[in-house]
């Protein structure tokens, strides 16, 4: 899915499966999520979500799967979490988030959260769900509660 404009939808892009690329979209969500992807935690090929502009909704980007890459997105104005991943072996890098209760939230083993800019969230980055995760080279500006929470 590439170069689409979606405005005011309940879910901007919702997909299931593996080996999918979601890139260069401009999404304003009015409900659940700007981008919502579901797949297998053991999939050999995950999803690539890159270079999107996402605003609004309860969640900016919600991914329930493993082995995916979420990079170079701008996500802001979500109510709950700007970027949330449930699954292992994901890479979350070079994103910019603005607002929300959580900037970036991951739950699973061996997730990498690197080189992101997180602004204005109550909790900047939360990583939970198992061993092997890496949090490095992130910039967190003005969290109202916690910058990085390892649960």
């Amino acid at each position: 899915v590439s170069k689409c404009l979606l405005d005011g939808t309940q879910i901007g892009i919702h997909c299931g499966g593996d080996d999918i690329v979601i890139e260069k979209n401009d999404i304003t969500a009015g409900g659940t999520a700007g981008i919502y992807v579901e797949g297998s935690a053991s999939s050999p090929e995950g999803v690539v979500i890159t270079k999107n502009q996402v605003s609004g909704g309860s969640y900016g980007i919600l991914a329930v799967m493993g082995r995916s890459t979420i990079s170079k997105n701008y996500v802001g104005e979500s109510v709950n979490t700007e970027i949330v991943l449930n699954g292992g072996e994901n890479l979350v890098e070079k994103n910019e988030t603005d607002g929300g209760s959580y900037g970036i939230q991951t739950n699973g083993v061996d997730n990498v959260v690197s080189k992101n800019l997180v602004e204005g969230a109550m909790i900047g980055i939360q990583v939970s769900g198992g061993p092997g995760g890496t949090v490095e080279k992130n910039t967190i500006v003005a969290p109202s509660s916690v910058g990085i929470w390892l649960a």
Side-chain angles (χ1 to χ4, degrees), residues 5-13 27-35 55-57:
L5 172 63
L6 298 111
D7 189 8
T9 60
Q10 179 70 19
I11 297 173
I13 297 170
I27 303 166
T28 302
T32 305
I35 298 172
S55 63

Side-chain angles (χ1 to χ4, degrees), residues 8-122:
T9 60
Q10 179 70 19
I11 297 173
I13 297 170
H14 184 189
C15 62
D18 305 318
D19 198 18
I20 297 169
V21 176
I22 300 171
E23 66 177 355
K24 300 178 184 172
N25 298 289
D26 188 346
I27 303 166
T28 302
T32 305
I35 298 172
Y36 179 25
V37 296
E38 301 173 275
S40 168
S42 61
S43 165
E45 300 290 330
V47 171
V48 174
I49 302 172
T50 188
K51 299 179 184 172
N52 297 286
Q53 302 282 321
V54 181
S55 63
S58 292
Y59 302 96
I61 297 173
L62 175 58
V64 182
M65 65 186 321
R67 296 190 177 104
S68 294
T69 299
I70 298 179
S71 68
K72 300 178 185 172
N73 299 286
Y74 169 81
V75 187
E77 303 173 18
S78 300
V79 176
N80 293 323
T81 306
E82 303 301 343
I83 298 173
V84 60
L85 284 111
N86 290 317
E89 300 179 33
N90 293 295
L91 173 62
V92 184
E93 70 171 352
K94 300 179 183 173
N95 297 286
E96 181 179 344
T97 70
D98 189 7
S101 295
Y102 294 85
I104 298 171
Q105 186 177 29
T106 67
N107 183 23
V109 298
D110 297 325
N111 287 312
V112 176
V113 181
S114 178
K115 301 177 187 170
N116 298 284
L117 172 60
V118 178
E119 298 184 275
M122 286 182 60

